Every structure is written in C-alpha cells, then in structure tokens.
Amino acid sequence: IFTKFKRKSMKSYFLTAFFCLILSGCGVNLAQRQKLDPQIEQISDAIYLHNQGEHKKALRKFENYAREGNVEAMYQAGVYHRDGTAGRKDFERAKFWFEAAGYFGHVEALRNVGALYEYGLGTRKDLKKAREFYLKAAKLGSHLAAYELAHVYKKQRNFKDARVYFERACGEWVTPACEELENLQK
C-alpha cells in the first residue's frame, strides 16, 4: 500500500527519469533512429516491383544490384531463381547467387547453399559440402542451420554431433529439433 508521500515520490522519480532520457537523446527524432539498412534501401525499387507482381522486372533489378555488390540483392536473386518466381526454377543460378551472398557472410544464403548440396539441386548431392555451409551459417548464429546440420550428421550416422546441434537448435526454440533430440535419446 502506497501512502500519498510514496506515490508523490514515485511520480516525481519517474518524471525526473523521463526528462533525463529526453535530455540525453533517447527521445531524439525516431525517424533518424530507424533508418533502413543501406543495402535494403538501395533495392527498395526492386522490392516495390516484387510487391506489384512485376517479378521479371524485379529479378532484373535484383541481379543488377547484385552485380554492383549488394549482398541482399544477391540473396534475393538466389531466392527468385530457387523458387522460380520470375519464370522457371534455376537451381544453378540460385546456387551462384547464394554462394556469392554467402561469401560476404549472409547467413540465410549459406543455409540455402547447404540445402542445395544436401538435396542435389543444381549440383550433385554432396553431404560434406552441405555440412560445411550449414556449419558456417550455424557459427554465424543460425539456429535453423544448426538444426539442418544435425540432420546431415544424423544421415551420416554421426549421432554424437547430431545430438550437439539438435541440442543447440532446441535451446533456441526450434521445436522440431527438440523432438528429434528426444528420438535420438530413445
């Protein structure tokens, strides 16, 4: 139970703290603080075309930006080719763009290259290479890559390493990893 004095003290404390935050710059123009990533900002016209259903034009834009070195555009070009968004699926081109983006540390691109190698899409099936790409993505913080890496280890009957990566993914709320972990322990 708060007395009048305590309520007044609490209120003045919060007001003082609020004004200190404003004076220290925490209340500075939010538009300035929420600037887009420059790479995303650069490809915004391609994203607009995508949202308008102009997929072939969007792909051309993504590829042009990718050739200029935009890593996010490289990844998006890979997604377009993988999914066949602008026409037919082209896993070889998808692999090319994913590998390019992965070279610059794009985690999702690395995961996608791993999947292409794991399932032999656009390349020959190669679990060793799939494992390498999943491992790179997992080291960069991808919990889904850790889950996928665990699956590759499981396929190779390396249950010790599979357990390690299922545990890691499960610890980050990748629910299927927890289920796989339970199955490994039975």
Side-chain angles (χ1 to χ4, degrees), residues 91-106:
F91 294 115
E92 288 177 18
R93 281 183 136 171
K95 182 177 162 285
F96 171 81
W97 287 119
F98 286 145
E99 283 182 331
Y103 176 80
F104 293 101
H106 195 289

Side-chain angles (χ1 to χ4, degrees), residues 50-73:
H50 170 80
N51 290 336
Q52 296 300 311
E54 299 279 343
H55 300 300
K56 288 183 181 186
K57 288 180 184 178
L59 176 58
R60 278 195 299 274
K61 291 256 186 204
F62 283 131
E63 286 183 329
N64 287 337
Y65 291 130
R67 285 185 200 97
E68 292 173 10
N70 186 306
V71 178
E72 190 59 37

Side-chain angles (χ1 to χ4, degrees), residues 1-11:
I1 299 174
F2 288 103
T3 63
K4 263 187 172 180
F5 175 74
K6 284 185 181 177
R7 279 190 220 160
K8 229 177 191 179
S9 297
M10 293 291 283
K11 187 176 181 182

Side-chain angles (χ1 to χ4, degrees), residues 30 42 65 84 111 114 185:
L30 287 178
Q42 183 187 29
Y65 291 130
R111 273 189 56 232
Q185 293 172 347

Side-chain angles (χ1 to χ4, degrees), residues 124-138:
R124 70 182 189 349
K125 190 175 183 175
D126 187 336
L127 292 181
K128 182 179 176 187
K129 284 199 177 213
R131 197 176 64 224
E132 289 172 18
F133 281 98
Y134 287 147
L135 184 59
K136 285 179 187 177

Side-chain angles (χ1 to χ4, degrees), residues 16-124:
T16 304
F18 175 73
F19 286 116
C20 286
L21 286 173
I22 288 175
L23 292 174
S24 69
C26 290
V28 176
N29 184 351
L30 287 178
Q32 290 177 339
R33 297 179 74 203
Q34 294 178 345
K35 288 190 179 188
L36 287 177
D37 176 328
Q39 294 216 344
I40 301 294
E41 201 168 333
Q42 183 187 29
I43 64 173
S44 62
D45 58 339
I47 294 168
Y48 175 79
L49 289 169
H50 170 80
N51 290 336
Q52 296 300 311
E54 299 279 343
H55 300 300
K56 288 183 181 186
K57 288 180 184 178
L59 176 58
R60 278 195 299 274
K61 291 256 186 204
F62 283 131
E63 286 183 329
N64 287 337
Y65 291 130
R67 285 185 200 97
E68 292 173 10
N70 186 306
V71 178
E72 190 59 37
M74 292 173 194
Y75 172 71
Q76 292 302 327
V79 169
Y80 258 70
H81 288 297
R82 180 199 65 203
D83 297 345
T85 308
R88 68 178 184 81
K89 293 180 180 186
D90 187 339
F91 294 115
E92 288 177 18
R93 281 183 136 171
K95 182 177 162 285
F96 171 81
W97 287 119
F98 286 145
E99 283 182 331
Y103 176 80
F104 293 101
H106 195 289
V107 176
E108 290 304 309
L110 291 167
R111 273 189 56 232
N112 277 280
V113 176
L116 294 175
Y117 277 112
E118 181 179 2
Y119 299 104
L121 302 171
T123 186
R124 70 182 189 349

